[in-house]
Amino acid sequence: MAAELFEGHYVWHPAADDRVLASVCVDVRAGRYRYAQEVLAETRSDFALRAHRSLVLASEAAGTDLVEQWLAEETTPESMLMWARVAVQRAMRAADARDERAETLERIALTACDRAAALAPDDPTPWVAKLTMARLHRLRDPAPQGLLTSPPGPWRLFSHVLSLDPWNREGHHRFLSFFFTRHGGSVNAAWDVAAFLSQRAPADSALRLLPLVALVESYNPTQLLADRVWEQPQWRSTTLAAYRNWLPTVAGYRFTPVLDLAYLAHALVMAQCEFEARAVFAAMGPYASRMPWSAFGDPAEQLSRARRACGLPVPGPA
């Protein structure tokens, strides 16, 4: 799917150019779930689209009782998955806010994930949702051979996701985030895991961008020459390989993978590969994501700064 042209403003909605999903988000905000059932049911054999749509819809529904109403009316793989997604979002928000209800909400979320998985045993998405909560208890399964730091983590749960969908994008990102320093991990472990996982993936996979995600997570503006790290040969090589091998596949996606494109565009600009970055921004069209830009300041300002470096137009003053 080709993104639309940039017409002077950024579109921050996570549905991006999945117009069907965007319209269903409006329904969900209004308390209607009928079309949510339909747009999720059509993704039963497309796990990437199922993950994307269920996550976006859950972010719209988490502050309402829509999922509870839906479950009271019907029990389908879609209503159960949405319950799991919403329950996990509520549990994570409560844990991060140190809410006294956090443990109760986590138990509800675990139950919801298990029931969704039981109803659709071939669907990796409930297991991916469960993986999101792994950092709450710092699961410590031993790492497989081949990692320099051998970091313990939720390897068994992750392995089950891979048994259902070997290149599951969200599963890889959820797993990698377990090792981020802000979640109790370390810079070296995150780099190690990102390199290990990306090297396993096909050359044209978006998972080849995982090291760039880990690099943004490790960014420390107080370090000497922090902004020059992307120019180092290993990072420049990783970035240009993703540009050559993965970017051409984006035209075949059913929705614009805005977040992955943003990490690639950011890395290319930081590596002073502005010519290549222009093509990535063209693939993004007007769609924008907070990350990776928010790691460096105001996301809109940082995105505009990167586009200017490539000689591209940016939104005018509000």
Side-chain angles (χ1 to χ4, degrees), residues 41 72 301:
E301 291 177 3

Side-chain angles (χ1 to χ4, degrees), residues 80-206:
M80 292 296 287
L81 175 59
M82 280 296 293
W83 181 37
R85 284 293 212 182
V86 164
V88 167
Q89 288 201 18
R90 290 171 179 166
M92 297 308 293
R93 289 174 187 172
D96 290 341
R98 301 188 183 279
D99 190 308
E100 61 183 14
R101 301 169 298 164
E103 286 189 19
T104 300
L105 290 172
E106 184 189 355
R107 285 196 298 272
I108 293 171
L110 289 170
T111 298
C113 290
D114 288 342
R115 291 185 181 177
L119 199 59
D122 295 332
D123 184 3
T125 322
W127 296 95
V128 171
K130 197 172 189 178
L131 189 58
T132 306
M133 296 187 289
R135 67 178 171 87
L136 298 182
H137 300 293
R138 301 302 302 167
L139 297 180
R140 302 186 68 80
D141 306 327
Q145 292 184 344
L147 286 93
L148 296 174
T149 59
S150 297
W155 290 96
R156 288 184 193 138
L157 182 53
F158 181 54
S159 293
H160 186 70
V161 172
L162 300 189
S163 73
L164 297 172
D165 185 17
W167 312 120
N168 187 281
R169 182 203 174 278
E170 186 186 344
H172 279 75
H173 280 263
R174 296 291 184 193
F175 182 69
L176 175 60
S177 72
F178 176 92
F179 300 95
F180 292 165
T181 53
R182 59 190 164 101
H183 295 156
S186 71
V187 169
N188 287 338
W191 280 351
D192 196 10
V193 170
F196 176 75
L197 297 180
S198 68
Q199 288 164 9
R200 290 177 62 255
D204 62 353
S205 169

Side-chain angles (χ1 to χ4, degrees), residues 40 74 104 131 205 208 251 260 267 274:
L40 287 177
E74 59 185 16
T104 300
L131 189 58
S205 169
R208 290 288 179 142
D260 289 332
E274 288 85 358

